[in-house]
Amino acid sequence: MKGRKRLFIILAITGVVFFSLLPLKAAAQPRITVPGINIEIGPAEEPQELVGTLQLMLLLTVLTLAPAIIILMTSFTRLVVVLSFVRNALATQQTPPNQVIIGLALFLTVFIMAPVYREINSNAIQPYVAGELTQEEALAAGEKPLREFMLKQTREKDLALFINISGSERPQTRDDVSLTVLIPAFVISELKTAFQMGFLLYIPFIIIDMVVASTLMSMGMFMLPPVMLSLPFKLLLFVMVDGWHLVVQSLVESFM
């Protein structure tokens, strides 16, 4: 009993000393100041405040539409569709996976669009940052290289389709073509080109499927799926001709 009482007294004294020193330790530590964030919504008292608010809303809108701009106004559409056709023609299910196809299409898009970006940077972004151009002049200067790229890849038939549907006047020069007309015409032109390239990619692999299927039928092996035997031959053919090199080369050169 005496040992228990002595242990209890020691623990009590230790607790009192610990809690008495705790404020001193807390006071010795530096305070961490957390910055406050305050977002207020109220009426604009000056016209400059309203203009700043509208510019912020416009910037947020552009950031929201950035994926659509990258997909529909660059070479990404053709690249990702053709690469998907290659995978389907090989009948390799999810190999390569979607992340690899989309990632390769994105990096190829950066490579193909690099000259356009450099021209936009030198003619629009840098002069605007230096104060040599206004915001409207910078947008017009940055729009021109992208317009030239899309017009080069757009068929006149597709462009005339949207001009007739919109009821607008026939443009006299390339600069008179509106972006609202040019972008959808560019997209359907890219899809048609991608499907044409996909059709050419399918031909050798269809021939392999037909040869394997006819061989199995002549041998009376009706229960064996031809796809199981044709897949190794497709892969062998694709590797022997260095298929990825040829596909990427054809895609990049199609934009030159």
Side-chain angles (χ1 to χ4, degrees):
M1 294 294 294
K2 292 182 179 181
R4 291 183 179 179
K5 288 182 180 180
R6 185 176 299 176
L7 179 61
F8 177 77
I9 294 171
I10 293 174
L11 291 175
I13 294 173
T14 304
V16 172
V17 173
F18 175 77
F19 285 108
S20 63
L21 294 177
L22 186 61
L24 297 177
K25 293 181 180 180
Q29 294 178 354
R31 290 186 177 181
I32 300 176
T33 304
V34 180
I37 300 175
N38 187 14
I39 299 177
E40 296 181 357
I41 300 177
E45 298 179 357
E46 298 181 1
Q48 292 80 2
E49 297 180 359
L50 180 60
V51 172
T53 303
L54 293 177
Q55 290 178 345
L56 179 60
M57 294 178 61
L58 180 61
L59 177 61
L60 294 176
T61 303
V62 171
L63 292 176
T64 304
L65 298 176
I69 294 174
I70 294 175
I71 292 174
L72 299 181
M73 298 179 66
T74 61
S75 58
F76 180 82
T77 300
R78 185 190 304 183
L79 295 172
V80 75
V81 171
V82 172
L83 292 175
S84 299
F85 271 125
V86 172
R87 183 178 65 182
N88 293 334
L90 288 170
T92 55
Q93 301 298 326
Q94 293 297 321
T95 304
N98 292 330
Q99 292 86 347
V100 174
I101 291 179
I102 295 175
L104 179 59
L106 282 175
F107 279 104
L108 289 176
T109 300
V110 173
F111 177 78
I112 294 171
M113 300 299 296
V116 179
Y117 170 75
R118 284 195 292 266
E119 189 174 353
I120 294 174
N121 184 51
S122 60
N123 296 339
I125 298 178
Q126 295 302 326
Y128 175 71
V129 172
E132 301 174 0
L133 296 177
T134 62
Q135 186 174 3
E136 291 77 12
E137 293 173 344
L139 289 175
E143 176 186 320
K144 187 175 180 180
L146 192 60
R147 180 193 299 272
E148 291 295 329
F149 171 80
M150 289 191 291
L151 283 171
K152 185 179 179 181
Q153 307 299 329
T154 304
R155 293 179 174 84
E156 294 184 1
K157 180 180 179 181
D158 298 329
L159 191 60
L161 171 65
F162 287 96
I163 292 176
N164 294 332
I165 292 176
S166 63
S168 56
E169 298 180 358
R170 182 177 181 180
Q172 302 298 324
T173 61
R174 299 168 69 93
D175 295 334
D176 295 336
V177 180
S178 174
L179 284 179
T180 57
V181 172
L182 178 58
I183 293 175
F186 170 74
V187 172
I188 64 174
S189 295
E190 288 292 284
L191 290 175
K192 182 177 181 180
T193 304
F195 274 67
Q196 289 175 343
M197 298 179 71
F199 170 75
L200 296 176
L201 286 169
Y202 259 94
I203 293 177
F205 301 114
I206 289 177
I207 294 175
I208 294 177
D209 287 334
M210 293 176 62
V211 170
V212 172
S214 60
T215 303
L216 291 177
M217 290 182 64
S218 63
M219 296 174 62
M221 303 175 66
F222 299 101
M223 300 302 294
L224 183 62
V227 179
M228 293 181 61
L229 293 181
S230 63
L231 179 58
F233 293 103
K234 291 180 183 179
L235 294 177
L236 179 62
L237 173 65
F238 196 72
V239 172
M240 289 181 60
V241 300
D242 201 358
W244 290 113
H245 175 85
L246 294 176
V247 170
V248 172
Q249 181 182 1
S250 301
L251 283 172
V252 174
E253 290 181 351
S254 66
F255 290 97
M256 301 303 179

